[in-house]
Amino acid sequence: MHTDQVEETEEARTRRRGRERQAAPGGFHDRLIKILAIALPMATGAIVAFLVIAPFSPRSEVSFILDRDKVEQIDERMRIDNATYRGSDNEGRPFSLTAQEAVQQSSAEGIVRLDEVIARILLSDGPARLTAEGGAYKIDEEFLDVNGPVMLRASDGYNLTARGVSVDLREQMLVGSEGVSGAVPAGTFSADSLKVDIETRTITLDGNARLRMVPGALESMQ
């Protein structure tokens, strides 16, 4: 019994000396604490950065700028929410197209179908805005075939609504050739075809042209 007690005492002393060495200044315990003091904040920062960058939900929407060259290289169907396309007209003035949804069936088609589309253009007297329920945008021609009515409002208060027309963003024109109709502050109009120079506010009607004026409207516009 005496021998076993001595052996147990020596073993306890050995364990105690090991713990004392670990707890001593500069020992293993101190080195471990220093390493954790550096590593833990770095790991926390990495986790926070990931949470900031990562999408919160697989259904989150993406704001996307359509680049002409990149769109033409796409071989499969593409769908984008909150899409924006930027370009310039023949005089180098910028314009933009934004849409709630943009879909391109194939790059060979060269057409992007837009829903809830807004076109913003720059005129000599200030910006103007065109809105439509949707349309098919021809990328190479910078031409929007509008579905339904298109509404134009300029910075000076001029407004126009037309149906059966397309928007030539390069020329800043509204054009239609398969029966058109619309309204301006001075009255309503209809014709087989139409051209509207957005810059000069000039409307040209051709074929079965009809214009109904609102009495006193021209005077009130002056």
Side-chain angles (χ1 to χ4, degrees), residues 70-114:
K70 292 180 180 178
V71 169
E72 289 177 346
Q73 294 171 6
I74 294 173
D75 295 324
E76 299 179 354
R77 185 179 184 272
M78 177 189 68
R79 178 184 176 277
I80 302 168
D81 292 332
N82 297 330
T84 301
Y85 176 82
R86 303 185 191 279
S88 58
D89 64 17
N90 282 342
E91 296 186 17
R93 295 175 296 192
F95 69 79
S96 69
L97 276 175
T98 59
Q100 194 173 87
E101 181 182 274
V103 176
Q104 185 183 25
Q105 299 295 339
S106 70
S107 59
E109 187 180 37
I111 295 175
V112 181
R113 288 169 176 81
L114 307 175

Side-chain angles (χ1 to χ4, degrees), residues 27-150:
F28 173 78
H29 186 267
D30 274 6
R31 293 196 300 271
L32 179 61
I33 293 299
K34 290 179 180 178
I35 292 172
L36 291 177
I38 297 173
L40 286 178
M42 294 177 62
T44 303
I47 293 172
V48 171
F50 175 79
L51 291 176
V52 171
I53 296 173
F56 292 97
S57 155
R59 297 180 61 186
S60 60
E61 294 183 343
V62 178
S63 182
F64 190 88
I65 295 179
L66 293 174
D67 180 88
R68 181 188 307 174
D69 296 332
K70 292 180 180 178
V71 169
E72 289 177 346
Q73 294 171 6
I74 294 173
D75 295 324
E76 299 179 354
R77 185 179 184 272
M78 177 189 68
R79 178 184 176 277
I80 302 168
D81 292 332
N82 297 330
T84 301
Y85 176 82
R86 303 185 191 279
S88 58
D89 64 17
N90 282 342
E91 296 186 17
R93 295 175 296 192
F95 69 79
S96 69
L97 276 175
T98 59
Q100 194 173 87
E101 181 182 274
V103 176
Q104 185 183 25
Q105 299 295 339
S106 70
S107 59
E109 187 180 37
I111 295 175
V112 181
R113 288 169 176 81
L114 307 175
D115 284 335
E116 301 299 329
V117 60
I118 299 174
R120 294 178 175 87
I121 61 177
L122 185 61
L123 306 174
S124 59
D125 58 354
R129 167 176 162 149
L130 299 100
T131 59
E133 295 177 1
Y137 183 62
K138 299 176 181 178
I139 300 170
D140 287 338
E141 300 175 22
E142 294 178 342
F143 200 87
L144 178 66
D145 289 328
V146 178
N147 298 332
V150 58

